[in-house]
């Protein structure tokens, strides 16, 4: 979590294990596991790996349902956390105090599990969802509650959101409905959920927004609309007074208190805005479309300021803390640093020999790290565009890159 190191998964044919590298020199600091000891199943991307805040432990999950707790100083496996048998673990989160972790599996009862990752490792299952897939998980600001949303196959019932007590592991409240995203409000007493009012019916979707009172379990407000398709994603503004909702062909801003529609942000007729975000100052917003465009909007007017398109294919994105720059990467084998205001490319980073699918700023934003289908990670100097270091331990397709808040680990 201090950003000085990079973690790389080694996809050996027998076991998947990791190495920690010094981000500046590329020197291997420690190996976690080996070709004879590690994950037997595939590790499902960067979301299935998480560090404790002090960086001394790492939790990872794989496609066979195994969750491993690692000592990042010795490289040893502290504990094998069993319980996701028959499931694929696709997401892991560690609490801010480093004492607990939540792992999300894909199928059946017990797909959401809560773990104590201190010296005495115990596991607790959130037994409540009788569903096939958990869609979203959110943890309250104080860490005492969590919301999970899940759904069944079309034609079945069971779509719901559940509010959990993370200390007792008990279900506090249930809210029926198909919800794709959830956001706690800052006070932790209520939450906003977005989804599809017609459940799994993707042919006749209707936007659904619910303001959920987490103390009583009652809906404070509910809005459905046939004019807006299902909500793919929601994002709160920096002041939490409004929210963005990504849908088919548009992004819509709502007042959090009244759910009154504020500003509409049109996109292409067949464009699905699957991810949305406010800039740090709340004056602009970015939406990521399924057709490959990143669209920058003026929040006050709803006008499209510009589109950034790298010519198709998957791409990575990271926005600077001041919102003035962002870096993107794509299938043309490069990463590009953009000026948000002018739309101009400030710097191009050339060096990969295949598509670049992951990119991230270091915390001080003087460098970026890119990951490519050529199997390498490259650390770049933002000012000069020079490659400072190449890490080739992957040897295979690198799909995502993320750095810890202090820039010590990635």
């Amino acid at each position: 979590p201090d950003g000085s190191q990079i973690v790389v998964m080694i996809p050996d044919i027998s076991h998947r294990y990791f190495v920690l590298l010094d981000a500046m020199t590329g020197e291997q600091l420690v190996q976690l596991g080996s070709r004879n000891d590690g994950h037997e199943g595939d590790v499902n991307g960067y979301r299935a790996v998480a560090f404790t805040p002090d960086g001394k432990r790492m939790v990872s999950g794989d496609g066979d349902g195994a969750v491993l707790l690692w000592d990042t100083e010795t490289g040893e496996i502290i504990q094998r956390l069993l319980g996701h048998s028959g499931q694929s673990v696709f997401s892991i989160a560690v609490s801010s105090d480093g004492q607990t972790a939540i792992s999300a599996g894909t199928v059946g009862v017990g797909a959401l599990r809560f773990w104590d990752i201190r010296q005495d490792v115990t596991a607790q299952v959130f037994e409540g969802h009788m569903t096939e897939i958990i869609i979203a998980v959110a943890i309250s600001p104080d860490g005492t509650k969590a919301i999970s949303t899940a759904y069944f196959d079309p034609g079945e019932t069971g779509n719901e959101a559940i509010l959990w007590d993370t200390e007792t592991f008990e279900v506090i409240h249930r809210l029926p409905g198909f919800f794709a995203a959830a956001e706690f409000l800052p006070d932790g007493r209520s939450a906003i959920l977005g989804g599809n009012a017609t459940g799994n019916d993707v042919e006749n979707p209707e936007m659904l927004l619910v303001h959920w009172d987490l103390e009583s379990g009652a809906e404070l407000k509910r809005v459905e609309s046939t004019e807006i398709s299902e909500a793919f994603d929601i994002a709160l503004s920096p002041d939490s007074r409004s929210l963005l909702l990504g849908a088919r062909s548009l992004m819509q801003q709502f007042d959090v208190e009244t759910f009154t529609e504020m500003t509409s942000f049109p996109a292409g007729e067949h464009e699905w805005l699957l991810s949305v975000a406010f800039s740090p100052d709340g004056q602009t917003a970015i939406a990521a479309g399924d057709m490959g465009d990143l669209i920058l909007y003026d929040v006050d007017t709803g006008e499209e300021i510009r589109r950034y398109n790298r010519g198709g294919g998957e791409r990575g994105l990271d926005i600077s803390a001041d919102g003035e720059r962002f870096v993107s990467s794509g299938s043309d084998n490069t990463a590009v640093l953009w000026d948000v205001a002018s739309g101009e490319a400030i710097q191009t980073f050339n060096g990969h020999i295949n598509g670049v699918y992951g990119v991230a700023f270091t915390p001080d934003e003087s460098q970026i790290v890119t990951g490519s289908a050529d199997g390498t990670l490259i650390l770049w100097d933002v000012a000069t565009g020079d490659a400072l270091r190449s890490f080739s331990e992957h040897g295979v397709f690198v799909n995502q890159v993320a750095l810890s808040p202090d820039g010590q680990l990635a």
Side-chain angles (χ1 to χ4, degrees):
D2 60 4
S4 66
Q5 299 170 330
I6 296 173
V7 60
V8 177
M9 185 192 75
I10 308 300
D12 187 81
I13 190 171
S14 177
H15 288 84
R16 283 69 172 167
Y17 58 98
F18 305 89
V19 294
L20 287 181
L21 309 175
D22 185 289
M24 288 301 299
T25 67
E27 178 186 357
Q28 180 173 315
L29 303 176
V30 65
Q31 179 173 306
L32 287 74
S34 69
R35 63 184 306 170
N36 298 315
D37 191 19
H39 284 287
E40 295 184 11
D42 291 330
V43 178
N44 298 316
Y46 75 97
R47 294 184 185 277
V49 177
F51 288 89
T52 56
D54 62 7
K56 294 182 178 180
R57 295 184 177 192
M58 186 181 84
V59 186
S60 57
D62 67 30
D64 289 344
V67 177
L68 303 185
L69 177 63
W70 303 85
D71 185 314
T72 59
E73 295 180 339
T74 66
E76 296 179 353
I77 297 174
I78 300 173
Q79 186 77 23
R80 296 178 186 272
L81 310 176
L82 305 178
H84 282 291
S85 179
Q87 302 175 3
S88 177
V89 178
F90 67 89
S91 183
I92 290 176
V94 174
S95 62
S96 59
D97 61 9
Q99 296 185 9
T100 56
I102 291 179
S103 56
T106 54
V107 179
V109 178
L112 189 67
R113 289 178 174 262
F114 190 87
W115 308 89
D116 185 330
I117 55 173
R118 294 170 292 185
Q119 288 298 330
D120 295 321
V121 179
T122 57
Q124 183 68 37
V125 180
F126 290 92
E127 294 182 341
H129 285 298
M130 299 296 293
T131 72
E132 289 198 349
I133 298 177
I134 295 174
I135 308 172
V137 177
I139 301 176
S140 64
D142 63 5
T144 63
K145 297 179 178 65
I147 294 174
S148 59
T149 69
Y151 74 92
F152 272 90
D153 283 336
E156 300 183 28
T157 60
N159 302 332
E160 64 179 350
I162 292 181
L163 176 68
W164 305 87
D165 185 311
T166 60
E167 297 175 347
T168 66
F169 314 105
E170 295 179 350
V171 174
I172 303 174
H173 298 299
R174 297 175 183 268
L175 184 65
F178 183 96
F179 302 105
E183 289 268 5
F184 279 92
L185 292 180
D187 62 8
R189 299 172 62 183
S190 64
I192 307 295
L193 296 93
N196 186 354
T198 61
N200 302 43
D201 187 352
V202 296
E203 298 298 327
N204 302 286
E206 295 182 15
M207 183 213 73
L208 172 63
L209 269 182
V210 172
H211 189 180
W212 194 16
D213 186 322
L214 302 181
E215 296 182 345
S216 68
E219 292 185 6
L220 297 174
K221 190 169 291 294
R222 181 185 184 95
V223 173
E224 299 179 10
S225 173
T226 58
E227 297 181 0
I228 302 175
S229 77
E230 71 270 46
F232 295 121
D233 191 26
I234 59 175
L236 287 174
S237 62
D239 62 9
S240 299
R241 294 181 179 178
S242 68
L243 65 90
L244 295 173
L245 180 148
R248 302 186 191 189
S249 305
L250 87 161
M251 178 172 67
Q252 181 67 51
Q253 183 184 24
F254 292 84
D255 181 278
V256 167
E257 184 176 352
T258 64
F259 278 179
T260 303
E261 292 185 14
M262 299 171 64
T263 308
S264 292
F265 308 84
E269 181 180 355
H270 302 292
E271 200 161 22
W272 293 17
L273 302 185
L274 304 179
S275 182
V276 297
F278 278 98
S279 61
D281 62 9
Q283 296 182 10
T284 57
I286 293 180
D290 67 321
M291 299 178 70
D293 282 350
L294 293 163
I295 312 171
L296 180 68
Y297 293 100
D298 184 293
V299 169
D300 289 333
T301 66
E303 294 181 357
E304 182 179 312
I305 299 174
R306 62 181 51 86
R307 286 181 179 242
Y308 310 86
N309 190 300
R310 295 175 51 79
E314 297 182 41
R315 52 184 52 77
L317 171 70
D318 198 16
I319 304 173
S320 64
D322 60 12
E324 295 181 358
R325 303 176 301 170
F326 73 90
V327 61
S328 66
S329 61
S331 56
D332 62 353
N333 305 351
T334 70
V336 177
L337 180 69
W338 303 87
D339 182 278
V340 170
S342 68
E344 295 181 356
I346 303 171
Q347 191 70 261
T348 300
F349 305 91
N350 290 291
H352 286 291
I353 59 174
N354 210 326
V356 184
Y357 296 104
V359 63
F361 281 105
T362 57
D364 64 5
E365 298 178 357
S366 66
Q367 301 164 350
I368 65 167
V369 177
T370 55
S372 169
D374 62 17
T376 65
L377 299 173
I378 297 180
L379 179 69
W380 306 86
D381 185 293
V382 167
T384 65
D386 293 336
L388 302 176
R389 186 74 187 181
S390 178
F391 309 95
S392 58
E393 281 77 3
H394 264 291
V396 294
F397 195 113
V398 179
N399 188 54
Q400 294 285 350
V401 173
L403 277 86
S404 58
D406 56 10
Q408 298 293 311
L409 297 171

